[in-house]
Amino acid sequence: MISFDTNEGRFNLRSAAVVIHDEYVLLHQAVGDDFWVLPGARVEFLETSRETVIRELREELGLSCRVVRQLWHTESFFEYNSVKVHELANYFLVSLTDVPKIDSEVDFNGIEESVELVFRWLPLDNIGDYNLLPRFLLEGLNNLPDTLKTIEINDISA
């Protein structure tokens, strides 16, 4: 995976899947975290960002999908577990080949045993009730851009 540590913090290259079906969006969180994110992962070396979201949905949930288009490219600065992180991320709208049964706001586990993630289908109307990161997604998921948008986010206190 493309991630490395320095004396100052960590760098990540991440891809995320925007999976929306019938006004529900798929989210996940690591066990113990108090926030939700879109499913995704760090990009593997010599793997495209598009390939990453396809691989991750297959590995984490056993789902097949196709990438529709890229929505956002972000450069973010934040802290996670007291480590400063500099992250480049690509967000892709994806379409599932076979849509699983959607139980609204009910937690379910992924199939990847080495990762402790909880997944949830959330009605887009309820997105403001969740601690969703990055915060631009609270509005962005209900107003998907027509063209690729670049966003810079700095959540590190000076």
Side-chain angles (χ1 to χ4, degrees):
M1 73 184 99
I2 302 177
S3 178
F4 56 86
D5 293 326
T6 71
N7 291 335
E8 294 84 18
R10 177 172 295 135
F11 174 83
N12 288 327
L13 177 58
R14 184 175 190 272
S15 283
V18 177
V19 184
I20 297 175
H21 184 76
D22 288 341
E23 300 301 312
Y24 289 89
V25 62
L26 181 62
L27 302 179
H28 79 191
Q29 72 177 178
V31 172
D33 283 346
D34 65 350
F35 61 89
W36 294 85
V37 296
L38 294 171
R42 285 172 258 179
V43 177
E44 298 285 345
F45 188 68
L46 297 178
E47 175 182 62
T48 68
S49 294
R50 289 173 181 264
E51 291 169 336
T52 300
V53 294
I54 293 169
R55 172 180 55 80
E56 278 303 304
L57 287 175
R58 184 180 61 251
E59 286 178 359
E60 292 176 352
L61 294 169
L63 297 174
S64 296
C65 70
R66 70 174 185 82
V67 172
V68 176
R69 62 189 169 94
Q70 187 173 356
L71 298 170
W72 298 288
H73 172 79
T74 63
E75 183 168 18
S76 301
F77 304 90
F78 58 92
E79 286 191 35
Y80 181 70
N81 291 335
S82 301
V83 175
K84 291 182 179 176
V85 179
H86 181 169
E87 181 173 87
L88 298 179
N90 294 297
Y91 294 79
F92 295 94
L93 180 63
V94 300
S95 173
L96 297 178
T97 304
D98 296 310
V99 180
K101 181 177 181 281
I102 296 176
D103 289 322
S104 181
E105 299 185 81
V106 174
D107 292 349
F108 60 97
N109 295 320
I111 61 173
E112 192 172 13
E113 293 181 12
S114 64
V115 181
E116 291 189 67
L117 296 174
V118 175
F119 292 83
R120 185 180 290 182
W121 286 99
L122 175 67
L124 285 169
D125 290 344
N126 294 1
I127 206 142
D129 298 338
Y130 282 71
N131 185 14
L132 177 63
L133 296 177
R135 303 293 293 165
F136 83 89
L137 292 170
L138 292 171
E139 181 181 324
L141 289 173
N142 280 303
N143 298 293
L144 299 179
D146 295 327
T147 60
L148 175 64
K149 298 290 183 193
T150 301
I151 299 172
E152 293 179 4
I153 304 162
N154 190 343
D155 289 332
I156 294 180
S157 302

